[in-house]
Amino acid sequence: MPLSRFGRRVHYDIIEYVPILDSSNMDNTDWVRIAKDIQSHYDEYDAFLVIHGTDTMAYTTSALSFMLENLTKTVVVTGSQIPMAEVRNDGGDNLLAALTVAGHFEIPEVLLCFRGKCMRGNRAWKWNASGFNAFDSPNYPPLVTVGIDIDVRWDDIIYPAANSSLSLFSDLCEDVNCIRLFPGIRMPTLRTALAPPMRGCILETFGIGNAPDIKPEFLAVLREASERGVVIVNVTQCAKGTVAAHYAAGRALEEAGVVPGIDMTTEAALAKLMYFLGKSEDASYVRQMMMTNVRGELTSAPEIRRFSFREKNFISAVAKTIASEAEDVSKYSAIKN
């Protein structure tokens, strides 16, 4: 590429898969293939760009975000709604934006770059089937905005541990399922979806995580599966928002052993479930990890609820007082010694 406005020249090499796959035909073995290629060339390049079909792109970016452990380099995934071979297409802009971000900015995350936005890979989802703005990140702002200028939300970037090196976990559990609830869902359907050898299930529920709570058989099926060790994760069918047990219909699910997926997308929850079930056979451990923020895929609830903007000043004042007293004690100890 020519010299950029940032004074850099991006050099890139291309690895082409044969045959080229429609993303609708991809599965977890293809995620592993991409991750292994990144791992095998990790020391040779500063960043990686994956060109991918849009239909399952968010599944791939979610999976890569978990599989690539201790990531210290930028991984950007992009594509187009209209094939790049067409005269009129959106792929050129997406590709140039992705190349620019990958070639200039050190962002140790998996990003999904589309239509001027680079979103955290495990926060993105495809919401528009026919428009150029195909992807959105409804529960978390884009990490990078590409316009006349390129703005990076550096405070939101997840930084790797010091002296960490890339490792790849590829033994994903395939015995998982997704169930989308609908009014009148039949119990044989639910029971079959949770039957052995299934070890995990993403349950897409209504609103803020609600499901029928006046149907004992429905809750009994979920409870029996949970007691058998099946990890069932509750995510909302809504595009934006979080699962919260504010109503009886939501609390009944938790009492049946279903764990809240907070504000994870279905794609992120599925990839995360496959990842942790592959790591451990301890259902209790996996349930706990599904509610824990690991790669920025969910929003951790604040430990202290604030009711006034003035509380920030009060907390800051207390912190300064404690720090000052600690400094005085340190000086006193130094004088005494």
Side-chain angles (χ1 to χ4, degrees):
M1 292 181 68
L3 199 67
S4 74
R5 60 181 293 191
F6 301 105
R8 284 190 177 184
R9 191 183 306 277
V10 178
H11 169 80
Y12 59 89
D13 295 318
I14 298 174
I15 298 175
E16 184 175 352
Y17 287 0
V18 179
I20 296 175
L21 291 176
D22 186 301
S23 72
S24 297
N25 292 321
M26 294 178 65
D27 59 25
N28 58 294
T29 62
D30 297 296
W31 305 338
V32 172
R33 181 183 181 185
I34 295 170
K36 285 185 175 180
D37 278 341
I38 292 173
Q39 182 188 41
S40 63
H41 296 284
Y42 198 70
D43 295 333
E44 303 168 29
Y45 298 95
D46 298 314
F48 299 88
L49 171 60
V50 179
I51 299 176
H52 195 292
T54 60
D55 285 347
T56 63
M57 188 185 293
Y59 287 95
T60 298
T61 55
S62 293
L64 291 177
S65 75
F66 293 105
M67 296 166 65
L68 297 171
E69 301 173 338
N70 301 319
L71 184 65
T72 59
K73 298 182 179 182
T74 309
V75 176
V76 185
V77 183
T78 192
S80 62
Q81 287 285 73
I82 299 178
M84 293 185 187
E86 298 288 336
V87 174
R88 186 181 71 91
N89 71 81
D90 57 321
D93 287 343
N94 290 339
L95 178 59
L96 288 174
L99 271 173
T100 301
V101 171
H104 293 81
F105 298 93
E106 188 178 3
I107 303 173
E109 294 207 35
V110 176
L111 305 175
L112 192 157
C113 186
F114 221 87
R115 199 66 171 171
K117 297 185 293 186
C118 287
M119 298 154 274
R120 177 169 288 148
N122 54 38
R123 288 286 193 163
W125 75 302
K126 186 175 182 180
W127 75 278
N128 193 329
S130 56
F132 285 158
N133 57 334
F135 290 90
D136 195 15
S137 176
N139 286 321
Y140 204 82
L143 296 180
V144 185
T145 303
V146 181
I148 295 176
D149 293 317
I150 298 178
D151 298 316
V152 182
R153 297 173 61 94
W154 290 110
D155 290 341
D156 293 338
I157 304 299
I158 298 176
Y159 297 97
N163 302 319
S164 59
S165 58
L166 179 74
S167 60
L168 170 63
F169 183 82
S170 60
D171 191 18
L172 302 176
C173 175
E174 298 180 343
D175 296 324
V176 295
N177 212 336
C178 282
I179 304 174
R180 185 178 179 90
L181 293 186
F182 58 89
I185 186 171
R186 299 289 302 277
M187 291 310 101
T189 301
L190 185 64
R191 191 175 290 109
T192 300
L194 295 171
M198 288 298 123
R199 295 181 55 210
C201 177
I202 305 301
L203 187 67
E204 294 183 305
T205 57
F206 310 125
I208 59 172
N210 296 324
D213 68 325
I214 59 172
K215 296 183 178 180
E217 186 181 4
F218 172 78
L219 297 173
V221 171
L222 297 177
R223 185 177 294 106
E224 186 276 330
S226 296
E227 291 174 350
R228 190 169 15 97
V230 179
V231 179
I232 307 173
V233 183
N234 182 0
V235 300
T236 177
Q237 296 178 10
C238 299
K240 184 178 177 64
T242 186
V243 166
H246 291 325
Y247 301 104
R251 289 193 296 270
L253 288 179
E254 291 193 12
E255 291 170 0
V258 178
V259 298
I262 320 299
D263 59 350
M264 282 191 289
T265 63
T266 296
E267 294 90 337
L270 180 66
K272 185 177 181 180
L273 187 58
M274 295 174 73
Y275 172 78
F276 278 108
L277 285 175
K279 277 184 169 288
S280 176
E281 295 185 0
D282 184 346
S284 296
Y285 167 76
V286 175
R287 290 187 182 105
Q288 184 60 45
M289 294 311 299
M290 291 304 296
M291 296 184 289
T292 304
N293 185 16
V294 178
R295 302 279 198 277
E297 73 283 357
L298 61 80
T299 305
S300 301
E303 295 182 3
I304 301 175
R305 185 180 296 275
R306 288 172 52 191
F307 294 92
S308 170
F309 70 94
R310 297 181 181 86
E311 293 178 22
K312 180 179 180 181
N313 296 330
F314 172 72
I315 293 171
S316 297
V318 171
K320 288 180 180 179
T321 301
I322 294 173
S324 177
E325 290 178 354
E327 184 178 354
D328 291 342
V329 170
S330 177
K331 288 179 179 178
Y332 172 77
S333 298
I335 294 172
K336 187 175 181 180
N337 292 336

